[in-house]
Amino acid sequence: MDLLREMERSGHENNSWRPEAPPCLDGIDDIELDCETTGLRWDDGALPIGMSIYYGDKKQYLPWGHAGGNLDEEVVKRWARRELRNKRITNLNTRFDNHHLYQWGVD
């Protein structure tokens, strides 16, 4: 994934990278979203731990369940409930990510 390679080039591997706060998506109709999860089985307790979002010419990673360098999980969850509503979301694995987000509390 290009975003992960960019994070590595910008110093993520030496812990200098810090996530930005979730963005306001007012005026944005279309986004791309991809969840990172703890496993493949949402029906067995696997949950999302981060998501990549692309909108316009911007891209951002929102981590909340990693060993360090996280955003507050509840902040990201409230953001997702508010900002993703009524957006046209493109996703390569829509069913998978939808199930994980639903189990996490975002529908």
Side-chain angles (χ1 to χ4, degrees), residues 9 28 32-33 40 50 56 77 101 106:
R9 280 195 308 271
I28 303 293
E32 295 178 33
L33 181 142
L40 301 176
K77 191 180 292 187
L101 289 173
V106 175

Side-chain angles (χ1 to χ4, degrees):
M1 172 181 262
D2 291 338
L3 183 58
L4 294 177
R5 278 189 221 105
E6 183 177 311
M7 288 167 50
E8 288 172 359
R9 280 195 308 271
S10 67
H12 184 263
E13 72 277 353
N14 66 15
N15 294 328
S16 65
W17 179 85
R18 295 290 179 255
E20 295 178 28
C24 174
L25 297 177
D26 289 351
I28 303 293
D29 296 321
D30 299 298
I31 69 165
E32 295 178 33
L33 181 142
D34 182 52
C35 289
E36 182 176 3
T37 66
T38 59
L40 301 176
R41 303 266 327 261
W42 61 83
D43 58 340
D44 196 28
L47 292 170
I49 59 172
M51 71 175 75
S52 297
I53 57 170
Y54 300 85
Y55 55 101
D57 62 349
K58 298 181 170 118
K59 54 190 168 186
Q60 188 171 349
Y61 185 66
L62 306 172
W64 63 85
H66 294 274
N70 291 305
L71 296 168
D72 182 88
E73 181 176 0
E74 287 304 313
V75 168
V76 178
K77 191 180 292 187
R78 281 192 307 271
W79 171 86
R81 289 177 178 151
R82 181 184 65 247
E83 297 291 335
L84 299 180
R85 189 160 302 284
N86 298 318
K87 303 296 183 205
R88 194 173 16 251
I89 298 173
T90 303
N91 182 291
L92 292 175
N93 206 351
T94 304
R95 183 176 179 208
F96 178 84
D97 284 355
N98 273 347
H99 281 293
H100 275 90
L101 289 173
Y102 184 76
Q103 289 296 107
W104 187 52
V106 175
D107 61 354

